[in-house]
Amino acid sequence: MATTRMTSPPLLVPRTLVSQLLHLYDYPDPRRPGRLIKGYDCPHALRTARMCAAVAQRMGHQPARIKQYQIACILHDLGRAGLDRRLFGRIWSWARAQGIPTRPREWRVLHPETRYGRETEAFVSRYRGAMEAAGIELNPWACEQVEMRLGYARRLAARLRAVKPRLRELAVTWSPWMSRIMLYYYYPEKLKGAQPWVRQLAEILVACEQFEAYSNQRRGRDYYVRQREDVSEAFAYLDALHGEGIISRPVVQALRELAAEGVFDRVLEEARGRSLSSRERTFLRRAGQESLHAG
C-alpha cells in the first residue's frame, strides 16, 4: 500500500468542471414549471469525492483512474436530484420510526416476495394507508422521494441518461464502472464479478460517504433523526459494514490511518459546521492504531 502523506484530501478535478458537475444536481420542479430545485447538500458530494481520492491514493490507485473516479464520486448522489428536503425527511423519519427498511437490500431481506427492482411500488402499496393517516400523502411527488432510496438504481439510470449529453459537452468520459460503484451501497450484488480494483473503489466510496454523512450536521437533522455527530459512531458503522462484507479491512484501515494523520479534520469540521472538540481530535489521532488492533 502506498504511504504518500498528505495534509488535506485532494481535489483533482478542475474547479470549473466541479461547479459544472454540481449543477447537474439541479432538477426541474414538476410542481412549478420553469423553476429548478437546487441540488441538495452538494458540499457533501464534494467532500466525499475529496476523501475518496485521498483513500484511493493511499491504496495505490493510478492518478488518471483516481481523477475519473473523483468525477463519479462527485455525482454519487445524482439519483437524488430533486430531493425535497422537507418531504424526504418526513417520509424517511417516519419509516425509521416504524422500523421500516430504508435501503433496497434491507427491504428484500424483510420482504423476499418483492420483485427485484420493485421495492418502491411495494413500499407504497404496503404503507400508503398508514402514511396518509400520519399526514403524509403518497402522491406522485412523494413517490419520487421514496424512489430516491428504495428505487435508487432506476432513478440514477434515468438521471444519467438525462445528463449524458451535458457530460459529453464537458468532455467527461463516462465508463460503465463509474455507474456501478455509485450503486454499490444500495446494490452490492451489482458488483458481482467486477474486477478487484472496481470493487475496491466502490468500497472506498461507501466508506467515505458514510464517514462524511455521520459527521454531516445538515443530513443528521434533515433525515437521520440525529441530534449530534460523533466520530466514534462513524467508525462503529464502518466496522459494521466490514462485518457485513460491504467494505474490506484494508479500506477501513486506510481511512482510519488518514483520519489519524489529520487529513480529514477540516472536511469533518466543514460537515459539522463547527470545530472538532479536543476529545474528538484525540479519538481521531488514535484511529489508525485502533484499526491495526482490530485487524
Side-chain angles (χ1 to χ4, degrees):
M1 183 183 297
T3 57
T4 302
R5 297 184 69 86
M6 62 186 79
T7 57
S8 63
L11 182 61
L12 306 176
V13 179
R15 289 191 176 275
T16 300
L17 178 56
V18 170
S19 177
Q20 293 166 323
L21 291 172
L22 291 176
H23 276 302
L24 298 180
Y25 281 98
D26 297 342
Y27 187 81
D29 191 335
R31 304 159 301 173
R32 303 177 183 87
R35 294 192 181 186
L36 287 177
I37 299 173
K38 292 294 185 180
Y40 173 76
D41 198 12
C42 286
H44 158 79
L46 184 54
R47 287 190 293 264
T48 296
R50 292 176 60 208
M51 294 170 67
C52 286
V55 177
Q57 282 187 358
R58 176 58 58 93
M59 301 194 77
H61 289 270
Q62 300 170 359
R65 178 179 290 164
I66 296 174
K67 184 175 180 180
Q68 191 176 15
Y69 173 56
Q70 192 166 63
I71 290 173
C73 294
I74 289 170
L75 295 177
H76 78 271
D77 267 344
L78 188 64
R80 290 205 183 107
L83 185 146
D84 183 321
R85 177 180 173 183
R86 180 174 175 274
L87 181 57
F88 187 92
R90 287 188 69 199
I91 291 170
W92 295 112
S93 294
W94 178 87
R96 285 175 182 272
Q98 310 304 313
I100 297 169
T102 61
R103 290 186 284 267
R105 58 189 171 93
E106 295 170 352
W107 179 275
R108 291 193 297 273
V109 169
L110 191 62
H111 302 291
E113 74 283 359
T114 299
R115 181 181 167 190
Y116 189 86
R118 305 286 289 183
E119 293 82 9
T120 296
E121 290 83 354
F123 177 96
V124 171
S125 175
R126 181 178 290 267
Y127 296 115
R128 181 186 294 276
M131 293 192 73
E132 292 185 350
I136 306 172
E137 181 187 357
L138 280 179
N139 56 30
W141 183 236
C143 291
E144 278 286 296
Q145 309 303 308
V146 175
E147 181 86 336
M148 290 177 193
R149 271 190 177 272
L150 289 181
Y152 191 75
R154 188 165 54 188
R155 201 166 194 280
L156 176 62
R159 293 311 304 152
L160 281 172
R161 285 194 299 271
V163 305
K164 283 286 181 68
R166 180 57 177 155
L167 290 174
R168 286 192 290 270
E169 290 175 2
L170 296 174
V172 170
T173 300
W174 194 267
S175 301
W177 66 264
M178 298 167 77
S179 303
R180 295 178 75 188
I181 65 166
M182 294 162 76
L183 291 171
Y184 179 62
Y185 182 56
Y186 284 156
Y187 306 91
E189 69 277 4
K190 291 185 181 294
L191 258 70
K192 185 177 181 180
Q195 295 184 60
W197 65 267
V198 175
R199 167 70 184 244
Q200 188 171 82
L201 291 180
E203 291 182 9
I204 293 170
L205 175 55
V206 169
C208 292
E209 200 264 345
Q210 293 304 311
F211 191 63
E212 196 281 345
Y214 264 79
S215 293
N216 189 310
Q217 184 186 66
R218 183 177 185 184
R219 290 182 173 228
R221 304 304 180 270
D222 285 352
Y223 58 86
Y224 286 131
V225 198
R226 187 176 65 215
Q227 298 304 312
R228 64 184 180 86
E229 286 66 49
D230 190 321
V231 292
S232 65
E233 292 180 2
F235 283 123
Y237 186 57
L238 295 186
D239 288 339
L241 289 174
H242 168 62
E244 295 174 21
I246 300 298
I247 55 178
S248 62
R249 177 55 61 186
V251 168
V252 176
Q253 182 165 324
L255 188 151
R256 279 183 171 271
E257 289 174 355
L258 288 164
E261 293 166 17
V263 174
F264 297 144
D265 284 7
R266 182 67 63 85
V267 166
L268 297 179
E269 289 178 335
E270 290 173 1
R272 289 157 174 253
R274 63 172 176 80
S275 299
L276 293 166
S277 68
S278 58
R279 181 186 67 82
E280 290 169 325
R281 287 182 183 276
T282 299
F283 186 92
L284 287 167
R285 297 299 83 83
R286 295 173 177 169
Q289 288 78 11
E290 290 185 15
S291 179
L292 291 173
H293 295 158

